[in-house]
Amino acid sequence: DAGVTQSPTHLIKTRGQQVTLRCSPKSGHDTVSWYQQALGQGPQFIFQYYEEEERQRGNFPDRFSGHQFPNYSSELNVNALLLGDSALYLCASSFEGFNEQFFGPGTRLTVL
Amino acid sequence: AQKVTQAQTEISVVEKEDVTLDCVYETRDTTYYLFWYKQPPSGELVFLIRRNSFDEQNEISGRYSWNFQKSTSSFNFTITASQVVDSAVYFCALLYMDSNYQLIWGAGTKLIIKP
């Protein structure tokens, strides 16, 4: 049984560009949450998707958007990238909300 | 405001010592959940425990134990007889249940277990 997978592993972009990160949840999970983790800090909650809708959102600007597909996989889109968007982006899946979350290995985004 | 404080930035102990990681939280809600996660050097966060605000019973799982005290708003984590494999960053997190519930994370404690 595959766990949570994320792609790509690493990504380098320049300021102003747009990026799409992808996540496949663990089998049987219906909820996907996205987090941003800056170096040496705890994760910051971006948003959570359930039944293809954004159910909860943290304090992130509208440049951060997402989508969940019928197969429960999810995408995180970030527009107009800023240097401060450089971080590890983590995807977590769970069954019905913030129960035990299983995390993927993350996507390391570097904005130059 | 909702907040999680892990005051210990880094702890270093010798293998087989017991170690306690502190977590202090702030919330006005009466219903909330507390979590501990482990982030080993590989980077993938691993769930350790979830505790709801109505259950103050301490929990033990092998060498791990958790002490939840609502009176001091603390949810501390103790590793008994630490091992080198316990070396990781440990995060405490708070899920509060208002209209826009979300998971608030502490800054983490880096635990170094020396052989």
Side-chain angles (χ1 to χ4, degrees):
Chain A
D1 174 30
V4 179
T5 60
Q6 292 186 244
S7 63
T9 306
H10 295 87
L11 206 49
I12 299 175
K13 292 285 188 178
T14 56
R15 281 179 296 176
Q17 285 189 312
Q18 178 264 344
V19 67
T20 297
L21 311 182
R22 295 177 176 82
C23 172
S24 291
K26 183 178 170 62
S27 177
H29 286 180
D30 57 9
T31 303
V32 173
S33 303
W34 287 92
Y35 297 86
Q36 179 193 69
Q37 186 178 21
L39 203 60
Q41 297 184 22
Q44 300 289 317
F45 173 70
I46 302 175
F47 42 54
Q48 182 181 85
Y49 275 85
Y50 173 72
E51 292 188 343
E52 302 180 51
E53 290 192 1
E54 182 183 292
R55 184 162 66 171
Q56 299 295 340
R57 189 179 183 90
N59 297 322
F60 279 80
D62 292 343
R63 298 187 297 110
F64 290 77
S65 63
H67 189 76
Q68 186 178 35
F69 299 94
N71 66 353
Y72 305 116
S73 67
S74 177
E75 288 182 348
L76 164 65
N77 301 293
V78 187
N79 295 322
L81 284 167
L82 304 174
L83 295 179
D85 294 332
S86 295
L88 179 68
Y89 288 84
L90 297 165
C91 167
S93 75
S94 56
F95 181 66
E96 292 184 347
F98 285 109
N99 293 312
E100 178 182 348
Q101 293 183 84
F102 288 77
F103 281 79
T107 294
R108 173 71 63 186
L109 172 64
T110 301
V111 182
L112 302 176
Chain B
Q2 328 290 342
K3 188 179 178 182
V4 175
T5 301
Q6 294 181 257
Q8 304 150 310
T9 305
E10 184 174 305
I11 300 175
S12 181
V13 301
V14 176
E15 198 173 20
K16 297 184 183 177
E17 287 186 15
D18 298 346
V19 59
T20 295
L21 309 182
D22 297 334
C23 173
V24 174
Y25 62 93
E26 295 177 30
T27 179
R28 290 187 298 270
D29 298 317
T30 56
T31 302
Y32 52 89
Y33 292 84
L34 296 163
F35 299 77
W36 275 95
Y37 279 84
K38 173 182 179 179
Q39 189 172 39
S42 61
E44 235 168 283
L45 282 156
V46 177
F47 169 85
L48 295 178
I49 190 173
R50 183 180 87 152
R51 173 69 66 199
N52 74 56
S53 53
F54 299 106
D55 182 4
E56 287 192 73
Q57 196 168 16
N58 291 331
E59 176 138 350
I60 298 175
S61 176
R63 296 184 296 105
Y64 294 172
S65 63
W66 290 269
N67 183 4
F68 177 30
Q69 292 197 344
K70 290 179 74 171
S71 60
T72 56
S73 297
S74 64
F75 186 44
N76 296 337
F77 171 35
T78 297
I79 301 176
T80 303
S82 61
Q83 300 176 1
V84 172
V85 293
D86 295 326
S87 296
V89 180
Y90 291 86
F91 292 97
C92 179
L94 164 70
L95 175 65
Y96 61 93
M97 309 297 287
D98 69 5
S99 60
N100 184 30
Y101 64 88
Q102 57 180 282
L103 199 55
I104 304 297
W105 296 69
T109 296
K110 183 176 183 180
L111 178 62
I112 300 170
I113 310 296
K114 299 177 181 177

